[in-house]
């Protein structure tokens, strides 16, 4: 098992030496490596089992640091100014110094200033950016506490920086600022309305296949099957039907509170697996605010899986 620590300095030392460290953020835990260390970045891809061409988010301590990696237009600058630190990733044209390992050879780069205090002080102490995909194996459920990371990655990660349970619980909103109007590529806690309030212009509707590589139909998937319902009574009828055919099930209904749905979503999915259930039956929150992100992740968890 890898070491779990609360000490930012220990985590910074490991990163400085080119190690891989799991870090807490307000969204989910990330698997961090220095953005200027190719070998460490390759280890992140290998530990996750993630295809090398899927680009990574560069995590920085400040807007100034972000400017070293990307070129900000007015929209990107306004969003960063109002919503960073926070659960928002901005896609902007990259500077030539950013390596192809990070962008998968694209001409854009994904940037974010996370708001978790431990990780912010880690980034400040380290003085360099880190790349950090979610700290799960490719296609599996993201971790929202240090124990999830230890369970999933075991000794593959050098150190886990324990910052408690993630407050938000689903990954950051990704906004592509390289187009006008901007476009949401992945819904998260920062909603369409939050973005419109900053830019005084609605984001372009998200249509067609996702332009964020790696956003596969089946993703965030537990071992058990996942089904979604608009009402509790629909879930109860389905549960009865499944029980008659000998299936073990559980209904998860936090639908009255989308924030709680998001916060507990991945732990709920993990608990269904730990209990060895056949099917998890989720009652969905309204499709507004963070409710959209919950519905997006559950749709991916429920999608047919590649064999
Ligand atoms: O909340 C989060 O964003 C978490 C925490 C750890 O910060 N990180 C996270 O990273 O979710 P990851 O690697 O699991 O998801 C990043 C997504 C991927 O779908 C990737 O395709 C997309 O961001 N992405 C990264 N760079 C991109 C780019 N230049 N253009 C389009 N999409 C990009
Ligand atoms: Mg991920």
């Amino acid at each position: 098992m890898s070491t779990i620590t609360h000490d930012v300095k220990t985590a910074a030392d490991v990163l400085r030496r080119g190690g891989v460290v799991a870090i807490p953020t307000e969204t989910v835990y990330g698997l961090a490596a220095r953005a200027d260390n190719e070998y460490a970045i390759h280890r992140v891809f290998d530990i996750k089992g993630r295809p090398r061409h899927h680009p990574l988010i560069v995590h920085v301590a400040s807007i100034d640091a972000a400017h070293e990696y990307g070129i900000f237009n007015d929209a990107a600058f306004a969003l960063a100014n109002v919503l960073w630190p926070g659960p928002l990733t901005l896609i902007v044209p990259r500077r030539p110094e950013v390596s192809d390992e990070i962008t998968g050879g694209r001409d854009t780069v994904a940037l974010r200033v996370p708001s978790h205090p431990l990780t912010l002080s880690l980034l400040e102490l380290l003085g360099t950016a880190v790349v950090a995909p979610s700290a799960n194996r490719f296609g599996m459920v993201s971790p929202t506490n240090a124990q999830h990371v230890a369970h999933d990655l075991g000794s593959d990660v050098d150190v886990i920086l324990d910052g408690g349970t993630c407050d938000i619980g689903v990954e950051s909103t990704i906004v592509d600022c390289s187009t006008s109007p901007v476009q949401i590529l992945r819904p998260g806690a920062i909603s369409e309305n939050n973005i419109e309030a900053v830019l005084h212009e609605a984001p372009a509707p998200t249509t067609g296949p996702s332009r964020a590589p790696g956003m596969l139909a089946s993703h965030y998937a537990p071992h058990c099957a996942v089904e979604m319902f608009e009402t509790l009574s629909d879930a109860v009828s389905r549960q009865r039907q499944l029980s008659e055919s000998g299936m073990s099930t559980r209904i998860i209904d936090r639908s009255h509170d989308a924030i709680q749905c998001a916060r507990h979503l991945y732990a709920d999915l993990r608990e269904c697996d730990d209990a060895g259930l056949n099917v998890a039956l989720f009652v969905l929150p309204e499709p507004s605010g963070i409710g959209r992100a919950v519905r997006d992740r559950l749709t991916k968890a429920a999608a047919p899986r590649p064999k």
Side-chain angles (χ1 to χ4, degrees):
M1 269 296 155
S2 48
T3 316
I4 298 186
T5 181
H6 292 87
D7 183 30
V8 171
K9 199 176 157 298
T10 304
D13 286 343
V14 173
L15 283 169
R16 203 168 281 124
R17 289 199 303 267
V20 172
V21 175
I23 57 168
T25 83
E26 73 280 32
T27 59
V28 300
Y29 273 70
L31 190 60
R34 280 174 63 142
D36 59 1
N37 186 321
E38 226 166 83
Y39 170 78
I41 294 174
H42 285 163
R43 255 191 79 203
V44 167
F45 280 103
D46 291 345
I47 292 171
K48 276 189 67 87
R50 171 166 164 151
R52 286 272 167 93
H53 61 277
H54 285 183
L56 300 169
I57 300 173
V58 177
H59 293 61
V60 287
S62 66
I63 298 182
D64 282 349
H67 284 151
E68 292 172 28
Y69 293 87
I71 298 160
F72 281 56
N73 59 15
D74 289 348
F77 187 74
L79 290 170
N81 222 12
V82 177
L83 298 169
W84 278 355
L88 173 71
T89 295
L90 299 176
I91 308 286
V92 299
R94 69 154 159 173
R95 295 203 185 274
E97 298 82 8
V98 183
S99 74
D100 284 341
E101 263 70 32
I102 295 175
T103 67
R106 278 169 196 73
D107 50 14
T108 53
V109 63
L111 291 160
R112 143 165 153 83
V113 180
S115 69
H116 194 291
L118 276 194
T119 287
L120 270 182
S121 48
L122 172 68
L123 288 168
E124 273 155 19
L125 191 64
L126 190 63
T128 58
V130 300
V131 295
S134 50
N136 52 296
R137 307 260 188 219
F138 185 62
M140 306 304 285
V141 176
S142 297
T144 53
N145 65 40
Q147 288 67 39
H148 292 165
V149 180
H151 173 269
D152 292 2
L153 303 183
S155 52
D156 288 356
V157 50
D158 298 325
V159 169
I160 300 170
L161 180 60
D162 187 351
T165 298
C166 301
D167 190 37
I168 290 172
V170 293
E171 299 81 355
S172 60
T173 306
I174 302 181
V175 176
D176 187 350
C177 298
S178 70
T179 58
S180 179
V182 304
Q183 189 173 31
I184 297 178
L185 303 188
R186 178 176 73 183
I190 302 287
S191 68
E192 219 172 297
N193 288 345
N194 297 143
I195 290 159
E196 186 171 352
V198 174
L199 300 180
H200 310 293
E201 181 181 40
T206 310
T207 50
S210 176
R211 287 188 292 114
M215 304 259 287
L216 309 175
S218 166
H219 213 108
Y220 313 106
H223 295 289
C224 64
V226 173
E227 294 186 16
M228 298 176 288
F229 302 89
E230 295 295 339
T231 66
L232 178 59
S233 64
D234 287 350
V236 170
S237 319
R238 176 65 174 153
Q239 183 171 50
R240 206 168 298 129
Q241 191 186 16
L242 287 168
S243 307
E244 277 162 17
S245 53
M247 302 281 244
S248 58
T249 64
R250 180 180 299 171
I251 294 177
I252 296 106
D253 181 13
R254 303 180 191 274
S255 57
H256 57 285
D257 186 340
I259 291 176
Q260 293 298 329
C261 284
R263 188 170 295 154
H264 296 284
L265 178 63
Y266 293 138
D268 284 340
L269 287 170
R270 283 165 185 270
E271 277 168 28
C272 290
D273 273 347
D274 293 344
L277 299 178
N278 298 119
V279 191
L281 308 169
F282 275 84
V283 186
L284 296 170
E286 292 289 309
S288 64
I290 199 170
R292 263 184 213 269
V294 171
R295 294 171 74 105
D296 168 75
R297 304 309 191 276
L298 279 173
T299 303
K300 290 184 169 122
R305 318 223 171 122
K307 285 280 168 308

